[in-house]
């Protein structure tokens, strides 16, 4: 059966992303960062104490960003490359890394928006190289028995329902 | 498209419930949320109007557990059913791995079913995705009601791809998990 190819992240990419997010968090003064896919799935996060519910956050941020892109089209703007929400205590900044990846940054009122935007933009340039670079030959393949094992796991989870 | 994170040992699939207004998409998700082991699910997020009609989407993450060393998740979404929310429906379909088309079996809802079904394929084609590689199931819902089409008739009217069909009553839960299981197995087979 033909198989679809999705977004595949290998060890090296994730290590580089984690290092970069950690540095970005420190230099920008942000409290929580997450890389997510444009279809709303989390890739990795960086935070110290603040841990929002990542699955819902990724889903909502990706959907909001996609809606923002459509707003741009309706307004005859080429693209809106970021989404910004200003709160009483916390701000949310979502920006596009590649066609398949978004970066979420949250930061408090004490942190300057300009500083976050500047360092985020620089980080995105490096992140693009990580995701758009040539495919790593060391990226592993799915275990051949995954499909059968997943089927069994599903039968177990849904039994008696 | 699935997100396969070998480094974090995670794999995530996106499943979308599609169909006309009031066909039972949100009811499917609510039943799953209510019945499944709470350890296997996350929060049910709904963006709905004051009348509890879906405005943008509902979202429910399900965790299958660790399969061959990979934490395996299904992200379940619904779309708004009313035709004037098509822009939102297109957004929810982005990156989809499997679609459950929820058909309202009532005879009086035929036009809405057909319109929604054609709209689904329009939207999928406009994404430029290879549709043969999507998981796809037609769930014939509201089988507990009277004045409904026979399964054979509804199949002939809606199932031009000869896809798997399930029968359900999302209100009582009949067929809800069976449908989900069919599409989940399809997406794993097609995407790895």
């Amino acid at each position: 059966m033909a198989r679809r190819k999705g977004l595949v992240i290998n060890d090296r990419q994730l290590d580089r992303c984690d290092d970069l997010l950690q540095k970005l968090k420190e230099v920008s003064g942000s409290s929580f960062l997450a890389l997510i896919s444009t279809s709303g799935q989390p890739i990795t996060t960086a935070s110290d104490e603040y841990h929002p519910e990542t699955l819902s956050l990724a889903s909502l941020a990706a959907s909001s960003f996609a809606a923002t892109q459509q707003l741009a089209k309706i307004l005859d703007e080429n693209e809106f490359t970021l989404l910004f929400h200003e709160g009483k205590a916390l701000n949310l900044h979502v920006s596009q890394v590649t066609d398949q990846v978004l970066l979420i940054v949250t930061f408090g009122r004490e942190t300057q928006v300009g500083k976050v935007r500047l360092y985020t933009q620089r980080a995105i340039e490096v992140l693009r190289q990580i995701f758009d670079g040539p495919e790593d030959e060391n990226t592993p393949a799915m275990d051949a028995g995954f499909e059968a094992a997943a089927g069994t796991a599903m039968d177990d989870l849904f039994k008696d329902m | 498209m699935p997100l396969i994170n070998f480094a974090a040992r995670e794999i995530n699939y996106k499943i979308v419930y599609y169909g006309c207004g009031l066909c039972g998409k949100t009811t499917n998700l609510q039943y799953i949320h209510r019945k499944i082991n709470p350890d296997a699910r996350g929060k049910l997020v709904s963006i709905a109007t004051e009348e509890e009609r879906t405005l943008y989407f509902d979202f429910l993450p399900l965790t299958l557990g660790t399969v061959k060393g990979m934490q395996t998740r299904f992200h379940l979404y619904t779309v708004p059913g009313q035709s004037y929310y098509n822009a939102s429906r297109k957004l929810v379909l982005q990156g989809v791995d499997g679609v459950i088309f929820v058909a309202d079996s009532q005879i009086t809802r035929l036009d809405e079913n057909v319109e929604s079904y054609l709209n689904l394929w329009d939207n999928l084609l406009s994404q430029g995705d290879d549709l043969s590689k999507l998981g796809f199931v037609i769930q014939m819902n509201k089988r507990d009601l009277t004045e409904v089409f026979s399964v054979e008739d509804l199949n002939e009217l809606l199932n031009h791809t000869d896809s798997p069909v399930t029968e359900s009553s999302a209100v009582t839960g009949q067929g809800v998990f069976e449908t989900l299981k069919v599409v989940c197995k399809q997406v794993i087979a097609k995407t790895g």
Side-chain angles (χ1 to χ4, degrees):
Chain A
M1 189 179 289
R3 287 174 185 271
R4 300 173 77 222
K5 190 176 176 194
L7 176 59
V8 179
I9 317 285
N10 61 36
D11 289 341
R12 192 159 166 271
Q13 284 175 312
L14 193 69
D15 285 347
R16 291 179 68 195
C17 290
D18 283 340
D19 286 347
L20 192 72
L21 291 194
Q22 197 58 41
K23 280 180 194 149
L24 177 58
K25 192 175 80 60
E26 287 161 14
V27 296
S28 66
S30 48
S31 52
F32 174 84
L33 299 96
L35 277 174
I36 64 170
S37 73
T38 47
S39 54
Q41 296 147 340
I43 297 170
T44 191
T45 61
S47 68
D48 286 335
E49 293 172 357
Y50 179 55
H51 296 283
E53 205 267 286
T54 313
L55 291 177
S56 300
L57 177 71
S59 164
L60 290 165
S63 305
S64 295
F65 194 84
T68 305
Q69 299 284 52
Q70 290 305 307
L71 282 173
K73 276 190 184 169
I74 289 168
L75 297 171
D76 289 329
E77 169 53 52
N78 204 20
E79 59 178 9
F80 290 150
T81 52
L82 71 86
L83 174 70
F84 180 63
H85 291 296
E86 186 175 351
K88 283 186 180 168
L90 195 76
N91 299 317
L92 173 74
H93 186 284
V94 184
S95 41
Q96 184 145 29
V97 177
T98 69
D99 286 348
Q100 288 188 296
V101 180
L102 302 173
L103 173 61
I104 298 174
V105 180
T106 68
F107 55 98
R109 298 286 287 179
E110 69 286 358
T111 305
Q112 290 177 327
V113 181
K115 188 174 160 189
V116 171
R117 289 183 66 168
L118 173 69
Y119 286 118
T120 298
Q121 197 51 45
R122 287 183 185 170
I124 284 173
E125 287 165 21
V126 181
L127 285 167
R128 278 197 190 121
Q129 292 167 19
I130 296 173
F131 288 105
D132 282 345
E135 197 164 315
D136 192 332
E137 289 176 0
N138 296 321
T139 298
M142 288 298 289
D143 187 301
F146 179 78
E147 186 181 336
T152 305
M154 252 179 271
D155 290 338
D156 287 346
L157 181 62
F158 297 158
K159 75 179 173 192
D160 305 326
M161 295 287 182
Chain B
M1 291 175 290
L3 168 59
I4 306 173
N5 191 335
F6 283 111
R9 310 296 297 162
E10 286 178 0
I11 183 161
N12 295 275
Y13 301 97
K14 182 173 183 177
I15 310 287
V16 174
Y17 285 78
Y18 209 94
C20 63
L22 298 173
C23 69
K25 303 175 291 295
T26 300
T27 311
N28 265 274
L29 248 60
Q30 288 170 336
Y31 184 82
I32 294 166
H33 181 260
R34 212 166 46 241
K35 290 293 179 183
I36 205 158
N37 177 357
D39 294 338
R41 58 144 168 90
K43 275 186 191 167
L44 175 60
V45 175
S46 292
I47 303 179
T49 65
E50 286 181 5
E51 296 83 30
E52 298 190 353
R53 302 291 297 274
T54 304
L55 176 64
Y56 196 171
F57 61 82
D58 308 296
F59 168 67
L60 177 66
L62 283 189
T63 303
L64 191 55
T66 304
V67 179
K68 292 281 179 186
M70 301 288 281
Q71 182 73 11
T72 306
R73 286 199 202 98
F74 295 98
H75 295 208
L76 311 184
Y77 287 81
T78 67
V79 296
Q82 295 98 314
S83 55
Y84 48 85
Y85 288 137
N86 192 43
S88 307
R89 285 203 293 268
K90 282 184 176 179
L91 298 181
V92 179
L93 278 177
Q94 286 183 8
V96 66
D97 296 303
V99 175
I100 295 170
F101 183 81
V102 183
D104 188 328
S105 299
Q106 295 178 95
I107 291 168
T108 53
R109 303 301 308 281
L110 176 62
D111 289 350
E112 289 91 338
N113 281 325
V114 171
E115 185 189 3
S116 181
Y117 186 77
L118 294 175
N119 169 260
L120 165 66
W121 291 103
D122 272 351
N123 286 340
L124 287 172
L125 284 168
S126 72
Q127 285 192 168
D129 220 347
D130 183 349
L131 304 184
S132 68
K133 295 177 185 174
L134 279 180
F136 187 68
V137 177
I138 295 182
Q139 181 190 54
M140 296 183 180
N141 194 28
K142 306 195 184 181
R143 300 308 299 172
D144 54 318
L145 300 183
T146 55
E147 304 290 314
V148 295
F149 278 111
S150 70
V151 171
E152 293 74 23
D153 284 349
L154 209 47
N155 192 48
E156 198 174 321
L157 288 162
L158 290 178
N159 194 1
H160 80 290
T161 53
D162 203 19
S163 297
V165 168
T166 60
E167 294 181 58
S168 71
S169 164
V171 171
T172 64
Q174 177 225 328
V176 168
F177 282 101
E178 180 199 346
T179 309
L180 181 60
K181 196 157 77 172
V182 171
V183 84
C184 289
K185 287 188 174 180
Q186 277 185 331
V187 298
I188 287 175
K190 292 190 179 193
T191 60

